[in-house]
Amino acid sequence: MHDHEPDFWRNLRSELAGGQHWVDRAVVLAYAAIAGLVVVGFTLLADAASEAFEHLRHLGEFGAWLPLAWTPALTVALLWWTRRYVPGALGSGIPQVMFAIDDDTPPPRRASLVSLRLSLHKIGLVSGGLLAGLSIGREGPTVQVGAGVMQHASRWLSPHSGIDAHDLMVAGAAAGIAAAFNTPLGGVIFALEQLSRRRSMSHSSIVIVCIVLSGLVAVSMFGNLSYFGELQVQQVTWSLFGPGLLVAVSAGLAGGLFSRLIVASARGLPDRFSRWRVTYPLRFAAACALGVALIGILTNGATAGAGYAPTRALLEAQGELPALYTLLKFCATWLSAWTGVPAGVFAPSLAIGAGIGHDVAALTGVTAEAAIPLIALGMVGFLAATTQGPITAFIIVMEMVSGHTMVLSLMATALLSSGIARLLTRPMYLELAALLVPARPHTP
């Protein structure tokens, strides 16, 4: 009788009989929801820190000059704390996750780079960097935060769950990006393009489920809104072909240079600055932070933080950038990363790309409203060039600006800019992840 029983009923009985498997799934789902809550908390704290810095700048008659002391002092304190207690939190966090998901990484080393304790520290330290007025973002660090939260679930799973630390970290990292930008599809593509290239995921559905749950938590708090709203003009006409091509090439060259600078700064060069950074890391960080503060004063605070406000103003054709904003934001972001404090470059990259689009539009005589597509192209181009993840950049920017009618233009720009950057440098995150590998002892 049972031989002729439909597979559906046999499979259903088998699923229901595996009680422990359902417990394991419940644990993963619970941690996915927790990851969403953590990202929401991170977002609120980071936004509050940015607003607090703005209030600081407007304190009294000399408030605009306070960052000259405040920014270096707080930066030094953040770097000291990080180096002393959580050295695995230094930098963006994406290279750490990429190194941790490698199967050859020893468990103790993995725990030093991705853990719940480190995630909580990362939230406070990145928020501290925004409070200091550094040109940094929270979106990249959210990858490490999400991975650390999800990785903690492994201690509650049964030995036969079939879910390993690799899958949990990839799921948490992707969920973090998705919740941070409110771009669920972007989180999936980020996981596939940036994180899972070293081996195929055995539980890709875990990534999808975690993204959905953490995304729902974020949406329930912030609403189902695009990160930068909706573009007023979403059509790229043939009249913008020349300026659009110039944006793609400029973003590719600038993004490749930026990526190369970030890697060279982290690796060190045979020059006095690199030697000073190694010998006196706190003094070096203070000098870099002072440079960031000076740039902030020159731009009336426009280069501080992630750059969300200037970018949104440009996309809404309601804002005008300070002179040399793009170059100064580029330098401020580079100096902020060079300090070594926990910091991301995702959002600042979007701001720099928006500046490139705005500058090209001004150079070619395109009006403010007609320039909106060029600004979006600059965002996707610079992000793709910096991260060497063209599909991720294209999907994220498309979802962030609700620019679905610009699909082909955004995709072409991402591929072209990324290809140009690849001629200048290797993928930034892979290069930074390689620096985490301990040097082998030299054998004569």
Side-chain angles (χ1 to χ4, degrees), residues 132-176:
L134 296 175
S135 178
I136 63 176
R138 60 173 170 79
E139 290 77 12
T142 304
V143 169
Q144 192 177 17
V145 170
V149 173
M150 285 301 301
Q151 194 271 343
H152 192 264
S154 60
R155 65 182 59 197
W156 304 106
L157 299 177
S158 66
H160 305 292
S161 65
I163 304 172
D164 62 6
H166 173 280
D167 296 327
L168 290 172
M169 287 187 290
V170 170

Side-chain angles (χ1 to χ4, degrees), residues 35 38-39 42-43 46 88-97 113-116 118-130 135-149 169 172-178 180-181 190 306 337 340-348 429:
V38 170
V39 172
F42 190 7
T43 302
L90 292 168
S92 163
I94 295 178
Q96 287 90 329
V97 175
L113 298 174
V114 177
S115 68
L116 181 60
L118 189 146
S119 295
L120 297 177
H121 274 86
K122 190 91 173 184
I123 292 172
L125 292 167
V126 173
S127 299
L130 291 169
S135 178
I136 63 176
R138 60 173 170 79
E139 290 77 12
T142 304
V143 169
Q144 192 177 17
V145 170
V149 173
M169 287 187 290
I177 277 287
F181 282 123
F190 175 79
V341 300
V345 298
F346 251 83
Y429 291 130

Side-chain angles (χ1 to χ4, degrees), residues 49 53 67 70-71 74-75 127-136 289 292-293 296 303-305 332 336:
F53 177 74
W70 172 260
T71 301
L74 186 52
T75 299
S127 299
L130 291 169
L131 180 61
L134 296 175
S135 178
I136 63 176
V292 174
T303 55
S336 297

Side-chain angles (χ1 to χ4, degrees), residues 91-118:
S92 163
I94 295 178
Q96 287 90 329
V97 175
M98 295 177 71
F99 183 75
I101 63 177
D102 193 331
D103 290 332
D104 295 331
T105 302
R109 179 63 171 150
R110 179 181 296 125
S112 70
L113 298 174
V114 177
S115 68
L116 181 60
R117 171 182 173 273
L118 189 146

Side-chain angles (χ1 to χ4, degrees), residues 150-292:
M150 285 301 301
Q151 194 271 343
H152 192 264
S154 60
R155 65 182 59 197
W156 304 106
L157 299 177
S158 66
H160 305 292
S161 65
I163 304 172
D164 62 6
H166 173 280
D167 296 327
L168 290 172
M169 287 187 290
V170 170
I177 277 287
F181 282 123
N182 197 16
T183 56
L185 184 56
V188 175
I189 301 302
F190 175 79
L192 296 176
E193 187 175 40
Q194 293 283 2
L195 299 181
S196 58
R197 63 180 63 188
R198 304 192 179 191
R199 71 167 204 182
S200 61
M201 287 182 296
S202 59
H203 291 80
S204 58
S205 59
I206 294 177
V207 176
I208 309 297
V209 172
C210 290
I211 287 174
V212 170
L213 267 180
S214 60
L216 285 174
V217 172
V219 167
S220 67
M221 293 295 296
F222 302 121
N224 190 19
L225 301 174
S226 298
Y227 192 82
F228 285 118
E230 295 189 12
L231 294 181
Q232 297 176 15
V233 179
Q234 299 185 359
Q235 297 293 338
V236 180
T237 62
W238 281 106
S239 64
L240 293 179
F241 177 80
L245 182 61
L246 182 57
V247 168
V249 173
S250 301
L253 292 173
L257 174 62
F258 182 78
S259 175
R260 196 178 183 100
L261 282 172
I262 293 293
V263 173
S265 301
R267 181 185 290 131
L269 297 172
D271 60 75
R272 67 176 64 181
F273 294 107
S274 296
R275 291 194 295 270
W276 187 27
R277 185 174 189 256
V278 172
T279 308
Y280 305 105
L282 299 182
R283 297 181 192 177
F284 184 85
C288 290
L290 180 61
V292 174

Side-chain angles (χ1 to χ4, degrees), residues 183 185-186 189 193 346 350 376-377 379-381 383-385 387 389-415:
T183 56
L185 184 56
I189 301 302
E193 187 175 40
F346 251 83
L350 294 172
L377 294 181
M379 292 166 63
V380 74
L383 183 62
T387 62
I391 307 302
T392 300
F394 148 64
I395 294 294
I396 284 180
V397 173
M398 183 189 69
E399 289 189 285
M400 286 171 63
V401 302
S402 192
H404 298 86
T405 58
M406 292 181 59
V407 168
L408 294 179
S409 302
L410 292 171
M411 183 183 297
T413 301
L415 292 173

Side-chain angles (χ1 to χ4, degrees), residues 275-437:
R275 291 194 295 270
W276 187 27
R277 185 174 189 256
V278 172
T279 308
Y280 305 105
L282 299 182
R283 297 181 192 177
F284 184 85
C288 290
L290 180 61
V292 174
L294 288 171
I295 292 174
I297 291 174
L298 290 175
T299 60
N300 195 27
T303 55
Y308 172 83
T311 303
R312 176 148 193 171
L314 288 177
L315 287 171
E316 295 176 347
Q318 296 178 353
E320 191 60 36
L321 296 178
L324 299 178
Y325 168 82
T326 306
L327 175 61
L328 294 175
K329 182 66 174 176
F330 183 104
C331 294
T333 306
W334 171 40
L335 289 174
S336 297
W338 209 0
T339 63
V341 300
V345 298
F346 251 83
S349 293
L350 294 172
I352 296 169
I356 291 174
H358 172 269
D359 293 342
V360 170
L363 182 65
T364 55
V366 179
T367 62
E369 288 193 359
I372 294 176
L374 296 180
I375 292 168
L377 294 181
M379 292 166 63
V380 74
F382 192 85
L383 183 62
T386 300
T387 62
Q388 292 289 301
I391 307 302
T392 300
F394 148 64
I395 294 294
I396 284 180
V397 173
M398 183 189 69
E399 289 189 285
M400 286 171 63
V401 302
S402 192
H404 298 86
T405 58
M406 292 181 59
V407 168
L408 294 179
S409 302
L410 292 171
M411 183 183 297
T413 301
L415 292 173
L416 178 57
S417 299
S418 178
I420 292 173
R422 198 172 292 116
L423 300 176
L424 301 177
T425 182
R426 296 184 67 243
M428 179 179 68
Y429 291 130
L430 282 180
E431 289 280 272
L432 294 175
L435 297 179
L436 298 172
V437 180

